[in-house]
Structure formats: structure tokens, C-alpha cells
Amino acid sequence: MLYALCFLLFMIGLYCAVVKKNMVKIVVGILIMEYAVNLFLVMLGFRTGGIAPIIDKTQFDAETGRIAASFINSSVDPLPQALVLTAIVISLGSLALMISLCIRTYEKYGTFDITEIRRLRG
Amino acid sequence: MKGMTIIVKTISSWVKVLIILFGIYIILFGHLTPGGGFAGGVILASSYVLLMLAFGGEFVKKDLPLSLVSKLDCLGAFMFILIALLGLVFGGVFFANFLFEKYGQPLHLLSAGTIPFSNIAIGLKVGASLFLVIYSLSICCKAGELDSH
Amino acid sequence: MSIPLPVFIAIPLATAFLLPMFGKRGKDAATIVANLATISLLILAIGCIGKSGVYEIGKWPIPLGINLVLDGLSSLVLLVISVVAAAVMLFSAGYMEQYTAKAKYLSLFLLMVAGMNGVVLSGDIFNLFVFLEIASLASYALVGFGCGHEELEASFKYTVLGTIASIFVLFAIGMVYGNTGALNMAYISKAIQSSGLNAGLSFALALFIVGFGLKAALVPFHAWLPDAHPSAPAPISAMLSGVLIKSLGVYALARVVFNVFGVSLEVGWLLIVLGILSMVAGAFLAIGQWDIKRLMAYSSISQIGYVVLGIGLGIMLLARDANPAWASLAILGGLFHLANHAVYKSLLFLTSGSIEMATGTRQLKEMGGLARRLPFTRTANAVASASIVGIPPFSGFWSKLILVMAAVQAHYYWIAAIIVFVSLCTLIMYLKVQRYVFLGELPENLQDVEENGGSMLVAMIFLTCLCVLMGLIVLVPGMRNSILEPAVRVLTDGLKYSDIVTAM
């Protein structure tokens, strides 16, 4: 169910990026898509009633000396969080680039409307 | 940008010291406590963003030459790769922790091998580049396009 | 493993961050250092031919850590990237003098090379995404490097479509991770083999095809390419068209389809249809263009169609359990065409840059009779054109011949007919270039144009020689066995990839 909502958010972003005529709105649409995917990744690692995936001394099994099975079964998956952190940094980079392109284009053309920015054709 | 009132200016120049100190603490103790190069770098950058808001863009330009910031940015990234390459030379594997003796010890700054040095490099890189991105976007991107790596 | 694989990423990355520190006065030093970096990469890539290995970064074992994988396919694409990067870097030493921020250009260029090398070597699907983004971000900035009206518009278009493609890829990676619990490509492939394709994984495969298809500019997704390529500085057009769309698009697509998900009939037909659409539509659109670089950009779409067609034919034949020799022939044709196209299309774009620098225009109608004024550029352009059209002794002929042979042996005569027909269209468009640029009357204002000497000339001569000699790679058995055959074997082995990687 939650995944479906995530997908809905993704589609809203895609719609916004494809349909809108304003450059800034296109950038916002792309960001919505980006966050929908990030949300999806975080939700993959989520576990109801999970514990933080930090290993300390209490988590070791006394007999075998290994990490206790109960810890493995109840801790949330830390990997998607690392993935999302990386993805957020990358999206920060592309966001900065897109915004600076928008500003530059506005300086040159005096408008954000992509239907009026059409020198390249054919 | 002209800057704000004298009250804001005075307070932010006091607070600046604390924020920078906190950022340095987060970077240096990154391997022992929560935080690290990235978080500390963001805090460092935010201290200068605060100054920029309070005093206006021209002040930052005088106080902190942009070419120096972009050199620090490159230096940070270069240091990080250098540490990784040193791992290849001394440890035999790329990114090998060649100074490693034992895991991070609480209150021992020089534990955990190369990790604190990597943290410093990342802190420099993130702090400088984030500041550059915000600064250049705020002044209608004079050099903005190229800083987003 | 004699060559530590991370140096392919570390050398360009370290140089990229070193260059801006030279400052304004050290421009010549920066150029020399950048050229040294690309040439050393070329030497290392030649050293990697015929080798294979897995490299675990930071000594972490495979399922836990990040690994780099070198196999036949990687080493082929790595070689292509290094050759083109070295030649283009040499060319830009002379060409980029007309721009102000040369150190930043060199730095972004090396960043792009680092990203592409990373995509090719990565054995971990999330790392592939990260490197893909590094290369794409650098290329977005490079397309808009001139900061003029057209550059900014093209760069914005490219950035939007490229970012959407990256988000699709990231979404697909999330789906794959949710379904298999692995990020290492070998382990994903194992998990898919044991569980089979479910709905989520099929959706992920579709997302991958769309995402990488956008990066490769296949026809329904090609809108950004004809704008981005002409607007970029000529060396960057050569890089984008020569290797970026291939390493980010075709290589990643082939890797994911063959080695991770496994071949299936539907994917094979889909790629064949996309390939044929790209070939035909690209060729038709190219004939009508009057901007020399725009014409070449559309021709790139048409040529990337050949590569995807070869790969798709291979997938289809493998999935139908037809004679494996035919499948490997089709894939061989596709991959050889990839390497050929990288060389001659970058040469064509370099000559267009040389023409633009000499005459100051890109419009075909404003030029003419330049054959006497620019003899070297003319020769290079003629050789590259002959090559792309497929005139027998040159390289393009052999790859097209192999594709036609594969199509005929698989009894798809109509595919063979389309390949020959598109070649004729290519002949028309490059005859048009020859006619309007080099033959005919020399206009008044172009009476005193002169050839640009120095490094630009060396780069063009280097690529021209390669164009003539590339045919040897497929004709001489020794070279074929060491360069092309391992790459084909990686793809025809398909899902055995996971066993090979985990065993190494």
C-alpha cells in the first residue's frame, strides 16, 4: 500500500516534469521524482518495531560468540540509508546545476517559459 | 545584498566562532562519535552562509577570496584520493587502511588509521564546495555552473 | 592481476582536482598534465587487453564491499574510451584556446572520463549508478560550457532528460534490491536465477531499458542528443557521441540484460525494434539537416541503432536457442561497430570543429571549396566518411558486413536489407557534407582560411590512421582473439557471469 503511494508520488513528479511549461516547475517535478525514489529506498529497509542496526556487546550470543539471531531478525536494514544518503548528495549536485542553468537562461532570454525558449529546432 | 542591522552583525560574528569550532569538532571526532567529514563540512559551510546573510555578499568576498575557497575544495578532494592511493602503495589495496592498528578508541584522536584523515579531507571538500554552490547561486551564479561536482 | 584496477578511476579523478590549483598562469602546465593523464590511461588500457580479474576495494570481501570487475567486455570499452579520450584531449589542447576557463574545462573532461571508466569497471550496480551520475553531471556542465543562448537551452534539455533517466535507473536499482536483497551484480544474477523473474523484477528491467535507452539516445528517447551535440564545444561533441552514449547507454544496457537478468525473446525483439527505429529515423532526419554538427548528431543516433540492433539480434538468437555461432556473430558485429563508430564519429566531430574554427560557421550553405584550403581536415573527413558509409577497405565496412552476415544466417533478410538501405542513406548525407563543405566554389569571405596546426592536426592524423587500420582487428585472428572475442564471450556466456565473478 505504502509502495503504491510512493509510486503515485513518482508519477506526480514525472507528470509535473513532462507537462509543465515553466523551467523552475520542471526542476521541482524532477525533485519530486527524486524524493519519491529516495522514500521508496528508505521504506525497503524499514521494519515494523525494528531496532537500530548498531552492534554492541549485548547483541552477541554468549555461547557461539556470534551476532545473535534475534538482532539480525529485528534490526532495520542500514544499506538503503547509505544508498539514499549518496543519492541525496548526487541530487544536490544536479539540483545546483539545474538551478544555475535556469538562472543563466533567464538572464539570456528573460523568461522561464520553455515554449518561448526555442532557438534549436529541426 | 547589503547586510542586516548592527545587532545581527555583532551576534553572528560571535556565533561564527562557535559554529566553526563545532564543525571542526564534528570533523575531527568523526570516527568516534556520530558525524564525520560530511556533516562537519556542512556545518562549516553554514557558518559562512550565516556571515553572508548578515554582512552581505561583498563582505564575504573581501574576507574570504573565492579562488582560495575553490582551491581548498580541490585540495580536499585531492587529499582524499591521495589517501586512497597511499593505501594502494603501502597497504597493497586501494583504500586500504594502512595505518590501522585497532578500531576507534574513545578519546583517542589518532586511532582508526586513515579514517580521521579522510574525514578532514571530506570536510574540506564538502564545506568549500557547498559554500561555493550557495554563494555562486546567490549572486546570480558568476561561477556557478562548474562547482556542482 | 598486475594492474590495480582503481587507477583507471583514480588517475583522472586526482588530475581533475589537481588542475584548478595551477591557477590562471599555469594553463599550459595544466594542459600538459591533463594530456599525460589521458595518455597514461591509454597505455594502461592497452596493458589490460586480454586480462580479467576482480578487485575488492579496501580488502572487503565481495558481498560486503565494493568490487571492480575487469572482463573482456570491460576491457574493450575501456580501450575505446581511452583511445578517444587521448585523441580528443590532444585536440582540445589547441581547440579550447578560444574559451576562457580552460582549466575548468580540462577538469570537467577528466571527471567525465573517470565516471565512464567507473561505469565500465564497476561490478556493483549502485556504484554503476554513482559513476553514471558523475559522468553525466560533468557532461551536462560541458554541454553548456559556452554559456550562450543555444548552449544553455541545449544543456537544460539534456540535464532534465538525463536526470530523469538517472532517476529511472535509481528506481530500478531500488526494485532490484527489494526483490533480491543484493547490490552486487553477480549476486543479483544468482538470486534471479534461483527465484525467476517476478513482476517487480520485470518492471525493474523495463525501467533499466528506459533509463539506459535515454542515456544512449535510442529513437523514442533521442530528443536531447541533436541539441546537445551541436551546442557543445567540438571535442566534447566527439566525446559525447564517441563514447559517452556508448559506455553509459549501450554498455550498461548490455551488461544488465545479458549478465544480470538473462536473455529473453521479448527483450531481444524490443532492442531490435528500437535499433531499427533509431537507424531509419536517425538517417532520414540527418539527410535534411544544414548544420554540419547537427547532421552528424542525427547520424550518431542512426549508428547507435546498428550497435543496438546487433546486440538485440544476439539476444534474440540466444533466447531462441539458435546456433550460438550466429548469436556471437551478431554480437561481434554490434561490438565491433561500437568500437568503429567511436573512432570515426569522434574523428568526424573533430574535423567539424576544425572547420568551425577555421571558417567561424557551421552552416553547410555558407561553406564550399575548402578542399584546397584545409587539405588535412579534408583527408581526415573523407576517410571517416568512407568509413561510416562502409566503403570496403575501411573499418565501417567490416562491422556492417558482419551484421548483414548475421542477419542473413538467422534468415532475417529484411533486417539485412534495412542495414544496407540505411548505409545508402548514410552515403547520401556524407556526400552532402563533402559536396557543400569541400567541393564547389570558395565563398569570398573564406578566401584566406588556414589549417589549424599543432596538436589538433596530430589528433586528427592519429584517428585517421586508426580508421584505416581498425579493419585489422577483425581480420587478423590474433587481434580478434585478444580484443573482440573475449568481449563477445562475456555476453554469450550470459548468466555464467556470476559464477565467473564469484570464482575469481
Side-chain angles (χ1 to χ4, degrees):
Chain A
M1 185 57 214
L2 279 174
Y3 292 114
L5 282 178
C6 216
F7 189 66
L8 188 70
L9 194 62
F10 182 80
M11 294 318 266
I12 290 172
L14 189 59
Y15 175 82
C16 179
V18 170
V19 171
K20 290 290 172 190
K21 297 278 190 291
N22 189 320
M23 287 172 85
V24 179
K25 285 184 186 166
I26 292 175
V27 173
V28 171
I30 287 175
L31 282 183
I32 292 174
M33 278 169 81
E34 196 103 47
Y35 292 143
V37 174
N38 287 347
L39 196 64
F40 173 69
L41 280 172
V42 169
M43 266 164 37
L44 282 177
F46 177 72
R47 189 174 269 171
T48 315
I51 57 173
I54 297 171
I55 303 172
D56 57 11
K57 286 188 181 122
T58 57
Q59 306 295 355
F60 283 96
D61 210 13
E63 290 162 21
T64 56
R66 286 177 158 190
I67 300 166
S70 62
F71 173 73
I72 293 175
N73 289 331
S74 63
S75 68
V76 297
D77 187 353
L79 191 59
Q81 297 172 14
L83 302 190
V84 167
L85 209 64
T86 318
I88 286 175
V89 173
I90 291 172
S91 75
L92 172 81
S94 59
L95 170 68
L97 186 71
M98 279 191 285
I99 291 291
S100 67
L101 280 174
C102 283
I103 295 174
R104 277 295 181 93
T105 318
Y106 188 77
E107 279 178 4
K108 297 271 179 193
Y109 287 86
T111 175
F112 278 130
D113 191 345
I114 51 166
T115 51
E116 289 174 28
I117 305 171
R118 296 207 67 121
R119 288 214 178 176
L120 300 168
R121 286 181 162 277
Chain B
M1 288 194 292
K2 273 187 143 180
M4 297 183 185
T5 60
I6 185 109
I7 302 173
V8 178
K9 284 183 183 174
T10 316
I11 296 289
S12 56
S13 57
W14 289 354
V15 170
K16 170 188 88 173
V17 183
L18 291 180
I19 296 179
I20 292 180
L21 210 58
F22 183 61
I24 292 173
Y25 162 77
I26 292 280
I27 292 176
L28 285 185
F29 283 79
H31 54 298
L32 303 175
T33 54
F38 193 90
V42 173
I43 294 169
L44 280 186
S46 71
S47 79
Y48 275 94
V49 172
L50 176 73
L51 278 189
M52 204 171 77
L53 286 176
F55 287 87
E58 287 73 29
F59 173 82
V60 176
K61 216 185 222 170
K62 261 182 279 169
D63 190 42
L64 188 87
L66 276 186
S67 62
L68 177 73
V69 182
S70 76
K71 280 199 177 116
L72 276 183
D73 178 15
C74 293
L75 185 73
F78 188 67
M79 262 173 69
F80 188 66
I81 297 168
L82 204 65
I83 289 166
L85 280 176
L86 285 178
L88 181 64
V89 174
F90 292 109
V93 183
F94 196 61
F95 268 116
N97 198 340
F98 60 94
L99 295 174
F100 181 81
E101 282 168 7
K102 48 194 163 189
Y103 289 108
Q105 304 284 308
L107 298 179
H108 284 71
L109 264 190
L110 288 177
S111 54
T114 55
I115 295 175
F117 300 107
S118 309
N119 267 335
I120 293 170
I122 295 175
L124 266 181
K125 163 82 193 158
V126 171
S129 61
L130 204 63
F131 172 72
L132 270 181
V133 165
I134 293 172
Y135 178 74
S136 50
L137 282 181
S138 73
I139 57 160
C140 274
C141 69
K142 278 203 175 116
E145 236 118 288
L146 310 178
D147 298 324
S148 47
H149 56 250
Chain C
M1 227 23 249
S2 56
I3 300 171
L5 291 178
V7 296
F8 281 107
I9 300 154
I11 289 178
L13 214 53
T15 323
F17 291 123
L18 190 65
L19 289 180
M21 285 196 267
F22 282 124
K24 288 211 171 68
R25 268 156 289 160
K27 215 162 81 172
D28 296 330
T31 313
I32 292 170
V33 169
N35 271 304
L36 281 180
T38 47
I39 289 171
S40 60
L41 280 181
L42 176 60
I43 294 167
L44 284 173
I46 291 173
C48 272
I49 292 173
K51 295 206 175 113
S52 60
V54 175
Y55 194 91
E56 292 157 353
I57 287 181
K59 285 185 195 161
W60 293 94
I62 279 183
L64 295 178
I66 295 164
N67 66 336
L68 300 178
V69 178
L70 179 77
D71 55 17
L73 184 61
S74 307
S75 66
L76 173 72
V77 184
L78 202 60
L79 185 65
V80 170
I81 292 173
S82 312
V83 167
V84 176
V88 170
M89 186 57 107
L90 207 57
F91 185 85
S92 39
Y95 184 83
M96 292 309 287
E97 286 299 329
Q98 46 182 325
Y99 291 83
T100 44
K102 194 175 176 189
K104 277 184 180 154
Y105 163 83
L106 295 172
S107 164
L108 282 170
F109 185 100
L110 286 169
L111 215 57
M112 191 165 87
V113 174
M116 286 190 292
N117 282 348
V119 167
V120 170
L121 285 176
S122 173
D124 173 295
I125 202 150
F126 189 75
N127 249 43
L128 192 145
F129 167 75
V130 171
F131 284 121
L132 184 126
E133 277 293 86
I134 292 175
S136 318
L137 275 178
S139 68
Y140 305 149
L142 282 170
V143 167
F145 197 73
C147 280
H149 285 81
E150 294 179 5
E151 281 93 339
L152 290 172
E153 185 190 339
S155 176
F156 185 74
K157 212 179 214 180
Y158 179 29
T159 311
V160 167
L161 285 175
T163 314
I164 290 176
S166 310
I167 297 171
F168 272 65
V169 172
L170 182 62
F171 196 13
I173 290 170
M175 294 295 270
V176 167
Y177 181 71
N179 276 301
T180 62
L183 282 174
N184 192 298
M185 290 205 264
Y187 282 76
I188 294 172
S189 158
K190 268 188 187 164
I192 290 177
Q193 269 168 288
S194 61
S195 71
L197 275 181
N198 56 23
L201 285 171
S202 311
F203 184 55
L205 181 57
L207 285 173
F208 272 129
I209 290 176
V210 174
F212 292 136
L214 258 166
K215 293 273 179 201
L218 294 174
V219 142
F221 319 117
H222 71 290
W224 59 270
L225 188 140
D227 292 342
H229 286 202
S231 304
I236 293 309
S237 327
M239 235 13 219
L240 287 179
S241 181
V243 286
L244 192 88
I245 54 175
K246 300 201 184 68
S247 62
L248 261 57
V250 177
Y251 166 83
L253 191 62
R255 179 66 90 198
V256 164
V257 169
F258 278 95
N259 295 145
V260 177
F261 283 90
V263 292
S264 65
L265 211 53
E266 294 85 1
V267 176
W269 275 115
L270 184 65
L271 289 185
I272 288 177
V273 169
L274 286 179
I276 287 176
L277 265 180
S278 309
M279 279 161 64
V280 176
F284 281 165
L285 287 168
I287 292 174
Q289 299 300 323
W290 288 102
D291 179 332
I292 179 170
K293 279 172 89 177
R294 212 173 169 79
L295 186 147
M296 287 174 184
Y298 275 114
S299 145
S300 274
I301 298 175
S302 157
Q303 299 292 314
I304 209 85
Y306 278 101
V307 179
V308 173
L309 173 71
I311 288 170
L313 206 59
I315 294 177
M316 209 239 333
L317 291 174
L318 279 179
R320 280 201 340 195
D321 287 326
N323 188 343
W326 303 345
S328 52
L329 198 64
I331 296 172
L332 176 78
L335 291 179
F336 186 45
H337 200 75
L338 185 152
N340 279 337
H341 179 241
V343 172
Y344 54 63
K345 187 45 74 63
S346 21
L347 180 55
L348 279 172
F349 270 116
L350 294 188
T351 57
S352 82
S354 169
I355 293 167
E356 192 188 348
M357 199 170 169
T359 64
T361 178
R362 292 205 307 252
Q363 297 303 319
L364 289 175
K365 283 179 179 166
E366 294 169 16
M367 294 186 246
L370 290 171
R372 212 167 304 141
R373 308 299 311 176
L374 307 171
F376 288 104
T377 308
R378 193 267 156 93
T379 316
N381 191 294
V383 169
S385 301
S387 216
I388 198 170
V389 172
I391 309 272
F394 297 107
S395 54
F397 170 71
W398 303 108
S399 51
K400 287 183 186 176
L401 183 69
I402 293 170
L403 280 175
V404 170
M405 272 158 59
V408 167
Q409 279 185 326
H411 300 294
Y412 290 109
Y413 299 108
W414 56 278
I415 291 181
I418 289 176
I419 293 174
V420 176
F421 172 69
V422 174
S423 277
L424 282 177
C425 294
T426 317
L427 178 66
I428 295 172
M429 64 181 116
Y430 284 98
L431 278 181
K432 183 176 163 183
V433 172
Q434 290 288 321
R435 156 77 184 76
Y436 280 97
V437 177
F438 296 111
L439 304 175
E441 295 271 309
L442 192 64
E444 288 283 314
N445 55 343
L446 299 180
Q447 290 293 347
D448 51 352
V449 295
E450 276 181 18
E451 186 90 56
N452 298 291
S455 64
M456 292 167 69
L457 212 56
V458 176
M460 287 196 291
I461 291 172
F462 171 64
L463 283 180
T464 312
C465 295
L466 265 186
C467 248
V468 179
L469 298 177
M470 279 287 270
L472 290 178
I473 291 181
V474 79
L475 292 179
V476 178
M479 289 177 86
R480 188 174 65 223
N481 290 339
S482 62
I483 299 176
L484 285 173
E485 288 293 338
V488 175
R489 222 174 301 127
V490 168
L491 291 185
T492 45
D493 279 350
L495 293 173
K496 284 182 211 143
Y497 169 79
S498 61
D499 301 329
I500 296 169
V501 168
T502 43
M504 274 196 282

